[in-house]
């Protein structure tokens, strides 16, 4: 047999050899007499197109070394990138050393932390995939132990913790196992806003595609907006407008230093889950609706809707899609307002493709985030596609073992051209 001159083309703009993935993993293959469900249609946000709407949220790994990502993160995220979610987030990443949840959290408070992130992003981009990063400050829930070691507990100095350097809007403790916080001064608040902007600059330098701020689960920004954790009497406490002041300052600071065409997300807790305690002032869904409209005015593109985290007394629903009612309520409330352009993401045990598609069809959300299911099954995009009878492309090194060798025309198979501009 004569040798063939068929090149295994390299991925472009990559500092090492890896085969090109075009079409990229996660793209739906056009099928005759078949309309691709919206979960597998592309969506464009600002200057960025995502090949589908099944995305991976941040999943804390507690495996960083002084805030620097390690080989664990490369392995964990790389297995997901190659299977083709529309967007994959690097985990919750601290903007200061003392804002980590655990001593092993990811960070972007110094320049040396850029390179490990850049390497992961370079690999994702070589696969044609998009990467986001969630920037965070744990506030009064900082300096804790990795969750697989204890359910909740303070990390002391002997294990790299900083229990005497934990800060929140007030000196109100979350719960007995966690540290006793101190109330931030106005000067410290200004420093934290700058730290968030500086971390965003480092993320841009690393090549990130999307930035999200963590405004949920009782961490710093959520603790400022919630009366459960904020009893300040200055301009950062009291009224709704005062309690959201820090949030808007952080949003404005980040929007000012990232490219105009970069999508910007905020993850919120839609409710504290304390409606069963009417005597306890708390953050409720109606507050989230008001905040969502403000965030859109300030340049936020996607609202990532979770819930809870402010109090151990919370009561939240459970089961498949248990948090979708929150995203649905926000999307519905904004639909006839100037903030109707804000995209809303649903989360919460969305465990199959039919369920995910129904959420989109019923206009309860625009995007689907799935976390723990991806940790269990990195090829979840493929599984959800099978649920909906959608054919997708997968990284060639994986795909060929499930199809055949050298299928004529496979490498240039036409893909869906449907786009939704947002």
């Amino acid at each position: 047999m004569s040798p063939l001159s068929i090149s295994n083309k390299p991925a472009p703009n990559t500092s090492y050899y890896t085969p090109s993935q075009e079409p990229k993993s996660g793209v739906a293959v056009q099928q005759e007499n078949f309309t691709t469900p919206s979960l597998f249609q592309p969506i464009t946000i600002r200057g960025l197109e995502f090949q589908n709407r099944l995305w991976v949220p941040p999943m804390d790994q507690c495996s960083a070394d002084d805030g620097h990502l390690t080989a664990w993160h490369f392995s964990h995220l790389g297995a997901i990138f190659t299977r083709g979610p529309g967007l994959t987030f690097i985990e919750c990443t601290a903007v200061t050393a003392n804002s980590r949840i655990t001593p092993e959290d990811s960070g972007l408070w110094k320049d040396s932390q850029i390179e490990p992130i850049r390497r992961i992003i370079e690999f994702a981009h070589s696969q044609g995939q998009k990467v986001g990063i969630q920037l965070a400050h744990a506030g009064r829930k900082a300096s804790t132990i990795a969750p697989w070691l204890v359910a909740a507990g303070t990390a002391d100095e002997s294990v790299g913790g900083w229990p005497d350097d934990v800060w929140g809007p007030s000196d109100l403790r979350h719960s007995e196992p966690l540290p006793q916080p101190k109330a931030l001064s106005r000067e410290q608040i200004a420093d934290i806003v700058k730290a968030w902007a500086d971390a965003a600059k480092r993320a841009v330098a690393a090549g990130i595609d999307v930035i999200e701020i963590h405004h949920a689960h009782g961490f710093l920004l959520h603790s400022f907006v919630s009366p459960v954790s904020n009893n300040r009497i200055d301009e950062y406490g009291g009224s709704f407008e005062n309690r959201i002041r820090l949030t808007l300052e952080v949003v404005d600071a980040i929007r000012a230093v990232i490219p105009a065409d970069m999508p910007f997300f905020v993850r919120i807790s839609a409710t504290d889950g304390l409606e069963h305690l009417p005597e306890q002032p708390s953050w409720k869904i109606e507050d989230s609706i008001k905040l969502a409209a403000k965030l859109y005015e300030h340049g936020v593109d996607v609202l990532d809707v979770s819930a809870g985290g402010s109090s151990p007394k919370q009561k939240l629903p459970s089961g498949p899609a248990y948090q979708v009612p929150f995203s649905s309520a926000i999307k519905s409330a904004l639909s006839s307002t100037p903030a109707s352009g804000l995209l809303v993401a649903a989360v919460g045990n969305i465990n199959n493709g039919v369920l995910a598609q129904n959420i989109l069809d019923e206009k309860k959300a625009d995007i689907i985030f799935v976390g723990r299911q991806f940790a269990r099954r990195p090829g979840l995009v493929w599984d959800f596609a099978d649920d909906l009878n959608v054919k997708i492309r997968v990284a060639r090194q994986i795909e060929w073992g499930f199809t055949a060798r050298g299928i004529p025309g496979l490498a240039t198979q036409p893909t869906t051209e449907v786009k939704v501009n947002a």
Side-chain angles (χ1 to χ4, degrees):
M1 181 179 293
S2 299
L4 300 175
S5 298
I6 301 175
S7 172
N8 194 358
K9 295 180 180 179
N13 305 314
T14 305
S15 63
Y16 51 84
Y17 175 75
T18 187
S20 176
Q21 307 289 348
E22 185 58 41
K24 60 192 170 188
S25 185
V27 168
V29 176
Q30 188 174 23
Q31 301 177 67
E32 189 174 352
N33 299 320
F34 180 80
T35 300
T36 302
S38 57
L39 186 64
F40 287 95
Q41 291 179 11
I43 183 169
T44 299
I45 305 173
R46 290 191 183 249
L48 205 61
E49 181 183 277
F50 307 87
Q51 74 269 32
N52 58 53
R53 302 154 195 234
L54 179 56
W55 297 355
V56 183
M59 291 187 280
D60 292 352
Q61 301 298 293
C62 304
S63 300
D65 181 4
D66 187 32
H68 300 79
L69 299 189
T70 66
W72 172 266
H73 300 91
F74 203 121
S75 174
H76 160 66
L77 293 168
I80 294 173
F81 294 147
T82 53
R83 272 77 175 179
L87 173 66
T88 302
F89 269 96
I90 292 171
E91 65 191 70
C92 174
T93 299
V95 299
T96 62
N98 69 347
S99 68
R100 290 171 289 174
I101 307 167
T102 77
E104 298 80 31
D105 276 14
S106 169
L108 259 181
W109 67 84
K110 55 186 176 181
D111 289 349
S112 61
Q113 292 157 344
I114 295 172
E115 180 57 22
I117 293 173
R118 188 205 64 78
R119 287 197 298 268
I120 289 174
I121 293 170
E122 181 182 26
F123 175 71
H125 287 174
S126 78
Q127 305 302 301
Q129 304 301 315
K130 303 297 192 300
V131 192
I133 195 165
Q134 184 187 70
L135 301 179
H137 191 301
R140 66 180 187 158
K141 296 175 79 173
S143 191
T144 62
I145 301 290
W148 60 80
L149 297 174
V150 294
T154 297
D156 65 23
E157 291 87 349
S158 71
V159 293
W162 51 98
D164 296 326
D165 192 22
V166 172
W167 301 83
S170 307
D171 61 356
L172 301 173
R173 195 175 196 170
H174 177 273
S175 54
E176 183 62 32
L178 300 190
Q180 173 62 52
K182 295 186 276 287
L184 288 162
S185 68
R186 290 183 180 88
E187 293 74 20
Q188 287 173 305
I189 289 172
D191 289 342
I192 287 171
V193 173
K194 182 178 184 300
W196 235 300
D198 289 343
K201 291 177 186 177
R202 293 186 182 101
V204 172
I208 206 71
D209 298 302
V210 172
I211 286 178
E212 176 175 270
I213 62 172
H214 200 336
H215 194 287
H217 305 161
F219 298 135
L220 187 69
L221 294 181
H222 182 196
S223 70
F224 262 85
V225 303
S226 174
V228 170
S229 41
N230 184 347
N231 64 5
R232 299 176 75 100
I233 58 173
D234 64 1
E235 67 269 33
Y236 291 98
S239 68
F240 173 84
E241 289 72 20
N242 281 356
R243 286 182 283 115
I244 69 168
R245 187 181 305 277
L246 176 57
T247 295
L248 298 184
E249 288 177 353
V250 170
V251 167
D252 290 346
I254 292 177
R255 187 78 266 181
V257 299
I258 64 176
D261 61 353
M262 177 177 284
F264 188 17
F265 297 16
V266 174
R267 167 164 274 206
I268 66 165
S269 278
T271 171
D272 286 332
L274 297 174
E275 286 80 2
H276 62 290
L277 300 174
E279 73 283 358
Q280 169 65 66
S282 65
W283 184 258
K284 298 181 172 67
I285 186 67
E286 52 265 34
D287 299 310
S288 288
I289 291 167
K290 289 166 61 179
L291 176 62
K294 288 285 188 183
L295 292 174
Y296 185 67
E297 290 176 11
H298 286 253
V300 172
D301 304 296
V302 176
L303 193 71
D304 174 7
V305 183
S306 186
S310 274
S311 169
K313 298 178 182 179
Q314 70 182 32
K315 287 187 178 179
L316 295 169
S318 61
Y322 71 99
Q323 299 198 73
V324 172
F326 304 129
S327 61
S328 179
I330 294 171
K331 185 168 173 58
S332 176
L334 297 181
S335 63
S336 58
T337 75
S340 60
L342 180 67
L343 296 172
V344 177
V347 307
N349 195 15
I350 302 170
N351 56 17
N352 66 79
V354 174
L355 176 58
Q357 185 58 50
N358 285 343
I359 292 165
L360 299 182
D361 288 344
E362 295 168 7
K363 301 189 184 306
K364 295 179 177 178
D366 303 288
I367 295 153
I368 303 297
F369 271 116
V370 177
R372 279 173 282 191
Q373 296 291 329
F374 268 103
R376 181 175 179 143
R377 294 181 285 163
L380 196 74
V381 177
W382 209 342
D383 293 340
F384 276 32
D386 286 346
D387 292 342
L388 297 170
N389 298 312
V390 175
K391 295 179 181 178
I392 63 167
R393 301 308 307 272
V394 182
R396 302 305 94 80
Q397 301 96 315
I398 300 166
E399 183 180 68
W400 77 269
F402 294 86
T403 53
R405 295 173 183 266
I407 297 175
L410 185 61
T412 56
Q413 184 77 25
T415 57
T416 53
E417 293 296 333
V418 181
K419 295 183 181 180
V420 175
N421 291 309

